[in-house]
Amino acid sequence: MLEIRRLIPEDAARLAEMEKAIFGEEGWTEKDFLETAELSYAYYLVAVEDGVLIGCCGLRNMCGDGNISNVMVVPESRRQGIGEKLLRSLMEETRKIGVHNFTLEVRSRNYAALDLYGKLGFVQEGLRRGFYREPEDDALILWKRGEEGI
């Protein structure tokens, strides 16, 4: 059974392993996750299935704008709606603490993620050319602004 819950410090090592496997050297370290877990304006969720951490996403609340980051699901658990459940839970929970707008960056060639974000109502509002390395890619800046309901 899938459980969505808040990030706890004990998750940091596993999340760092997942980041490195999924994002390579661009991924966060265990220290990054530990530091983020302590931030009062950060809200991170994890997905756990049968006791195994398989996904994560979070945001930093910047005066009502939620900057979403670290959206990931392990490859063997993709295409099962876990990323969508994580993001919907994240947006629902953070609306309760005053987040009204959501933004994120995504590789321009990450078609699965773009499909998911489009389904959730995100639209492109910006572009950062050559932002990503290994492989080089542009970053699309997406926003979901002020709508009630997710």
Side-chain angles (χ1 to χ4, degrees), residues 102-118:
F102 302 92
T103 186
L104 55 83
E105 295 172 352
V106 60
R107 287 178 173 272
S108 69
R109 295 183 196 109
N110 188 342
Y111 303 116
L114 288 167
D115 286 346
L116 172 59
Y117 301 143

Side-chain angles (χ1 to χ4, degrees), residues 7-122:
L7 166 73
I8 57 174
E10 292 79 11
D11 298 327
R14 170 71 177 139
L15 289 174
E17 289 172 8
M18 289 171 51
E19 280 265 325
K20 187 168 185 174
I22 295 170
F23 300 116
E25 296 306 314
E26 293 178 355
W28 282 20
T29 66
E30 182 176 354
K31 181 181 176 194
D32 294 328
F33 281 106
L34 285 170
E35 289 174 354
T36 298
E38 299 296 319
L39 297 174
S40 63
Y41 56 90
Y43 195 98
Y44 275 70
L45 296 177
V46 295
V48 180
E49 191 166 57
D50 299 324
V52 178
L53 200 150
I54 59 168
C56 175
C57 70
L59 65 70
R60 292 177 187 216
N61 181 3
M62 304 300 189
C63 300
D65 289 341
N67 186 3
I68 296 174
S69 63
N70 306 95
V71 179
M72 64 178 159
V73 174
V74 295
E76 59 272 17
S77 297
R78 291 182 185 159
R79 298 286 186 196
Q80 298 175 30
I82 296 167
E84 182 177 348
K85 287 176 187 170
L86 276 165
L87 284 165
R88 284 187 186 278
S89 296
L90 180 71
M91 290 187 291
E92 288 169 6
E93 290 299 313
T94 57
R95 280 197 192 282
K96 296 174 189 174
I97 60 170
V99 178
H100 303 289
N101 305 301
F102 302 92
T103 186
L104 55 83
E105 295 172 352
V106 60
R107 287 178 173 272
S108 69
R109 295 183 196 109
N110 188 342
Y111 303 116
L114 288 167
D115 286 346
L116 172 59
Y117 301 143
K119 180 180 180 179
L120 294 173
F122 283 84

Side-chain angles (χ1 to χ4, degrees), residues 104-106 123-129 139-143:
L104 55 83
E105 295 172 352
V106 60
V123 295
Q124 182 181 343
E125 292 190 17
L127 172 72
R128 289 193 174 102
R129 294 198 185 280
L140 304 181
I141 302 165
L142 307 182
W143 280 88

